[in-house]
């Protein structure tokens, strides 16, 4: 059982970077409590129509694989090598230069060589060579090839579920090998024989049943958004409308469900509602497309496609012109990198144009979906918002570039532009830990669960150390980000490594500063925390 006792930070930071005494192929996987995730339950596999639903756990000796499991995996590998050119390329072209080796946060935090991206890929490549290359078939181990065995499958499971598909390593690879794509293939193959984790299949199954990861029914969504509107009225004196399933609205707004249902995401949701009210946006939430996140990305291409389709089906049903997307992480990787080929083109929607500023979002011409930080930065640049940054004077802020918006979209400037206009105390973390080189929270791609807690803290350690740096140097007490998973996982990470720093969304910060028409004298921020007193020359 994974009844792990998590080491204290001063114990966990004692990392041994020595390789094991045995060669990597002969070093068996150790399912140490605290470092792996529970298996997907049979109930959820049935909902998703996935193969081999059964009761099992990774620590079991017998994984209850189908009799012909090896044939299924090798056939699956052959199909994917033919279908995805990138997969074959990534299996063939690595020159083992080692440039990626020390770039993975899981390697930095664990010292386990199999968490070096080059070796993580080798887990799959060694099998590829054995069955799909002439040299591997003839020379076996001499050519870096090995047989596919149950132990190899267990090793895949352990290490492909210790990769958050963050793509940091690919930034440093001279050949552009994308380890996230390799991990996705590894997970796809594991899924063919029913080896998956519940923290991925349950949110996906919930999405199928109810439209969102948390399995909330439409009535629950309505109630929660109304509660949030009550809180806004309490803080600002302004009552905002919550449009739901409104046919003919101009814009469909899709956010991660974590923003409706869990702190600190709910404060970000307050920010969305306040902003839309203030600018008079004709928009709607949907109870069907009530989830921006797409856990299919952590399972298979087919599942990505199935889950993404509902957003566009709902846009069509409601007759909106275009889609605005909230502060979500992997939703944007799907939209930016896969949407067009999987579900597109969305020709039935219009090229997005801001009804407030007239700005045409040409970058969204094809997907018809605009990121909220692009939308809001444009409002600020066009002088459409009244902001009082002094209201955030009690906060000293740093910004975590969430992996997917950063590396999949290049969305670096817009969130920073908003932060700089909404607050006066903003401090960047060290250059090598931000923008395209940003360090992962350690809990994405379905790994943000409790049984995997030690590995999350290890994987998140490099990010936490960069926050600690600005916490100690500049007194930073707030970590802003634009991803719902980050808001959740970074909160535990900060509690563990950097107590005193809490996490927020960028639109929470914006809404603290937003001067609303008809608002009462604001004495607290959205969390109800008192604002800092102003000196006379700071009074607006
Ligand atoms: S977790 Fe990120 S850095 Fe590590 S191997 Fe996976 S994609 Fe690369
Ligand atoms: S940086 Fe690229 S080529 Fe070099 S070892 Fe890593 S994956 Fe291979």
């Amino acid at each position: 059982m994974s009844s792990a006792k998590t080491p204290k930070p001063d114990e966990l930071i004692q990392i041994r970077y020595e390789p094991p005494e045995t060669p990597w192929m002969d070093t068996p996987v150790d399912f140490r409590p605290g470092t792996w995730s529970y298996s997907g339950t049979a109930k959820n596999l049935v909902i998703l129509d996935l193969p081999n639903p059964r009761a099992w756990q990774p620590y079991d000796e017998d994984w209850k694989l189908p009799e012909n499991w090896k044939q299924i995996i090798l056939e699956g590998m052959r199909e994917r090598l033919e279908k995805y050119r990138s997969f074959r390329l990534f299996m063939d072209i690595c020159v083992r230069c080692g440039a990626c080796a020390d770039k993975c946060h899981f390697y930095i935090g664990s010292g386990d060589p199999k968490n070096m991206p080059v070796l993580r890929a080798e887990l799959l490549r060694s099998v590829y060579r054995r069955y799909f290359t002439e040299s591997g078939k003839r020379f076996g181990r001499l050519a870096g090839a090995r047989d596919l065995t149950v132990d190899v499958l267990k090793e895949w499971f352990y290490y492909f579920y210790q990769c958050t598909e963050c793509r940091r390593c690919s930034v440093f690879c001279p050949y552009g090998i994308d380890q996230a794509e390799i991990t996705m293939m590894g997970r796809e193959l594991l899924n063919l024989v029913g080896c998956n984790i519940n923290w991925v299949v349950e949110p996906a199954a919930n999405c199928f049943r109810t439209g969102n990861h948390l399995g909330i029914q439409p009535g629950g969504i309505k109630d929660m958004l109304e509660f949030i509107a009550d809180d806004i009225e309490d803080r600002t004196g302004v009552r905002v409308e919550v449009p739901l399933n409104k046919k003919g609205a101009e814009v469909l707004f899709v956010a991660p469900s974590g923003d409706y249902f869990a702190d600190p995401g709910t404060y970000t949701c307050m920010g969305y509602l306040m902003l839309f009210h203030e600018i008079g946006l004709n928009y709607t939430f949907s109870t069907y497309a009530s989830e921006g996140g797409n856990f299919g990305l952590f399972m298979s291409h087919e599942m990505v496609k199935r889950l993404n389709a509902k957003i566009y089906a709902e846009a069509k049903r409601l007759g909106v012109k275009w889609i605005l997307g909230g502060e979500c992480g992997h939703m944007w990787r799907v939209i930016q990198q896969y949407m067009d080929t999987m579900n597109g083109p969305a020709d039935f929607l219009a090229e997005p144009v801001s009804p407030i500023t007239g700005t045409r979002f040409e970058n969204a011409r094809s997907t018809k979906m605009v990121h909220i930080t692009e939308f809001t930065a444009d409002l600020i640049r066009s002088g459409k918002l009244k902001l009082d940054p002094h209201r955030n004077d009690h906060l000293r802020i740093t910004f975590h570039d969430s992996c997917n918006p950063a590396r999949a979209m290049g969305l670096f400037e817009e969130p920073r532009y908003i932060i700089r206009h909404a607050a006066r105390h903003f401090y960047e973390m060290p250059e090598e830990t931000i923008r395209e080189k940003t360090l992962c929270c350690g809990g994405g791609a379905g790994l943000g669960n409790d049984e995997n807690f030690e590995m999350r803290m290890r994987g998140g350690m490099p990010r936490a150390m960069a926050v600690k740096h600005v916490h100690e140097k500049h007194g930073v007490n707030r970590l802003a980000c634009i991803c719902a998973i980050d808001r959740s996982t970074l909160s535990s990470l900060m509690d563990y490594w950097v107590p005193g720093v809490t996490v927020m969304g960028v639109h929470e910060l914006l809404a603290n500063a937003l001067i609303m028409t008809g608002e009462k004298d604001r004495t607290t921020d959205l969390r109800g925390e008192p604002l800092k007193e102003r000196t006379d020359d700071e009074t607006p």
Side-chain angles (χ1 to χ4, degrees):
M1 292 287 293
S2 184
S3 54
K5 189 171 174 304
T6 307
K8 298 265 183 300
D10 56 339
E11 297 164 339
L12 200 142
I13 203 132
Q14 308 297 326
I15 301 160
R16 292 183 58 210
Y17 291 103
E18 293 157 22
E21 283 166 10
T22 46
W24 73 265
M25 283 193 196
D26 302 327
T27 307
V29 64
D30 174 18
F31 282 94
R32 196 162 52 79
T35 65
W36 48 268
S37 307
Y38 290 140
S39 60
T41 64
K43 175 185 74 131
N44 289 323
L45 267 63
V46 169
I47 291 171
L48 293 170
D49 201 17
L50 293 177
N52 201 17
R54 70 213 183 278
W56 72 287
Q57 285 301 343
Y59 52 78
D60 293 341
E61 186 60 32
D62 179 5
W63 279 18
K64 301 179 190 159
L65 298 170
E67 216 167 286
N68 60 341
W69 71 268
K70 196 165 157 180
Q71 188 191 340
I72 295 172
I73 296 265
L74 291 175
E75 183 54 26
M77 202 171 199
R78 188 190 61 72
E79 272 174 28
R80 282 157 184 79
L81 286 164
E82 285 170 6
K83 187 171 176 189
Y84 302 106
R85 196 163 170 271
S86 55
F87 182 37
R88 183 173 281 274
L89 207 63
F90 295 160
M91 289 295 97
D92 280 331
I93 62 170
C94 172
V95 293
R96 304 194 202 177
C97 67
C100 62
D102 60 351
K103 304 303 185 296
C104 175
H105 47 288
F106 283 112
Y107 172 66
I108 300 171
S110 70
D112 182 341
K114 287 183 191 171
N115 272 324
M116 290 178 178
V118 55
L119 194 40
R120 197 190 306 283
E122 204 64 17
L123 304 177
L124 210 55
R125 276 196 199 107
S126 51
V127 172
Y128 161 72
R129 287 194 198 101
R130 166 68 184 80
Y131 298 95
F132 298 95
T133 68
E134 238 0 85
S135 59
K137 284 179 195 167
R138 281 168 191 256
F139 302 115
R141 199 158 163 152
L142 273 179
R146 63 175 175 170
D147 288 344
L148 177 60
T149 64
V150 170
D151 284 345
V152 168
L153 196 78
K154 291 185 175 182
E155 198 177 46
W156 284 5
F157 180 90
Y158 191 68
Y159 290 103
F160 290 132
Y161 288 106
Q162 264 178 32
C163 165
T164 41
E165 304 181 6
C166 77
R167 305 174 73 230
R168 183 170 197 263
C169 49
S170 66
V171 171
F172 298 89
C173 174
Y175 291 88
I177 294 174
D178 188 343
Q179 175 60 45
E181 295 272 342
I182 297 174
T183 293
M184 285 162 72
M185 286 300 166
R187 290 188 181 194
E188 249 190 74
L189 296 174
L190 285 162
N191 264 277
L192 294 177
V193 291
C195 296
N196 31 41
I197 65 172
N198 206 45
W199 206 250
V200 171
V201 290
E202 180 140 329
N206 282 342
C207 239
F208 259 64
R209 285 189 306 107
T210 67
N212 56 75
H213 292 158
L214 300 169
I216 312 294
Q217 302 287 345
I221 293 173
K222 183 172 186 303
D223 287 350
M224 197 62 212
L225 288 170
E226 289 296 339
F227 285 141
I228 291 174
D230 291 346
D231 282 348
I232 291 172
E233 189 168 13
D234 179 58
R235 306 282 193 275
T236 68
V238 177
R239 183 76 204 175
V240 302
E241 292 297 315
V242 183
L244 257 181
N245 303 328
K246 188 172 98 178
K247 284 201 167 184
E250 181 165 357
V251 173
L252 168 63
F253 179 61
V254 180
S257 58
D259 282 356
Y260 323 141
F261 284 98
D263 292 348
T266 47
Y267 304 115
T268 306
C269 193
M270 287 169 87
Y272 304 145
L273 289 169
M274 289 164 66
L275 174 70
F276 300 156
H277 171 90
E278 187 56 27
I279 61 174
L281 186 68
N282 178 11
Y283 80 106
T284 184
F285 281 92
S286 157
T287 52
Y288 175 62
S290 52
E291 180 61 73
N294 186 327
F295 270 60
L297 192 62
F298 314 138
M299 194 186 299
S300 69
H301 287 79
E302 178 56 25
M303 201 59 70
V304 176
K305 183 176 173 176
R306 286 160 75 184
L307 293 179
N308 184 60
K310 74 178 185 307
I311 296 177
Y312 286 86
E314 186 66 338
K316 195 172 204 172
R317 186 184 76 84
L318 293 172
V320 301
K321 288 188 182 161
W322 53 278
I323 307 167
L324 183 62
E327 292 189 19
C328 185
H330 52 282
M331 166 168 82
W332 288 105
R333 174 137 193 243
V334 171
I335 296 298
Q336 195 75 8
Q337 297 198 318
Y338 300 116
M339 154 61 201
D340 255 353
T341 42
M342 284 184 175
N343 306 98
D347 288 342
F348 56 92
L349 295 172
E351 188 175 322
V353 175
S354 170
I356 317 302
T357 66
T359 296
R360 186 172 290 275
F361 293 97
E362 290 175 5
N363 56 324
R365 180 183 294 147
S366 178
T367 62
K368 315 291 195 297
M369 189 155 172
V370 175
H371 194 287
I372 188 150
T373 59
E374 294 175 314
F375 180 74
T376 304
D378 174 60
L379 291 169
I380 296 173
R381 189 179 61 95
S382 306
K384 300 293 182 189
L385 301 182
K386 282 192 204 143
L387 298 173
D388 177 3
H390 285 279
R391 287 182 186 168
N392 282 311
D393 274 358
H394 57 309
L395 304 177
R396 300 176 83 80
I397 301 139
T398 193
F399 178 66
H400 163 73
D401 291 272
S402 301
C403 298
N404 286 305
R407 280 189 280 268
M409 298 180 77
L411 196 78
F412 306 131
E413 300 310 326
E414 290 83 348
R416 287 176 169 81
Y417 186 82
I418 298 170
I419 292 170
R420 288 200 170 95
H421 283 80
R424 299 194 310 149
H425 306 296
F426 173 50
Y427 306 92
E428 290 278 19
M429 287 182 270
E431 195 55 40
E432 67 276 15
T433 73
I434 58 172
R435 298 175 189 266
E436 72 272 22
K437 294 179 195 158
T438 187
L439 285 155
C440 179
C441 65
L447 308 187
N449 55 63
D450 287 345
E451 64 270 21
N452 186 43
F453 192 79
E454 178 188 327
M455 194 45 75
R456 278 169 60 193
M457 295 303 106
R458 288 186 179 280
M461 187 267 283
R463 166 46 78 223
M465 290 303 118
V467 177
K468 193 165 191 236
H469 174 75
V470 284
H471 174 62
E472 289 171 354
K473 189 169 176 191
H474 302 293
V476 160
N477 57 7
R478 202 48 81 78
L479 175 59
C481 63
I482 50 169
C483 167
I485 286 184
D486 283 348
R487 279 190 277 282
S488 164
T489 58
L490 288 173
S491 293
S492 334
L493 195 71
M494 292 301 106
D495 287 348
Y496 183 84
W497 286 111
V498 203
V501 175
T502 48
V503 181
M504 76 189 314
V506 166
H507 278 76
E508 177 188 345
L509 191 76
L510 176 94
N512 276 343
L514 183 68
I515 300 174
M516 298 178 79
T517 309
E519 70 178 14
K520 68 180 186 186
D521 185 24
R522 303 252 294 260
T523 54
T524 70
D525 65 11
L526 297 192
R527 300 185 182 198
E529 292 172 6
L531 301 184
K532 200 169 169 192
E533 280 197 23
R534 296 167 195 253
T535 56
D536 285 346
D537 55 336
E538 287 175 346
T539 306

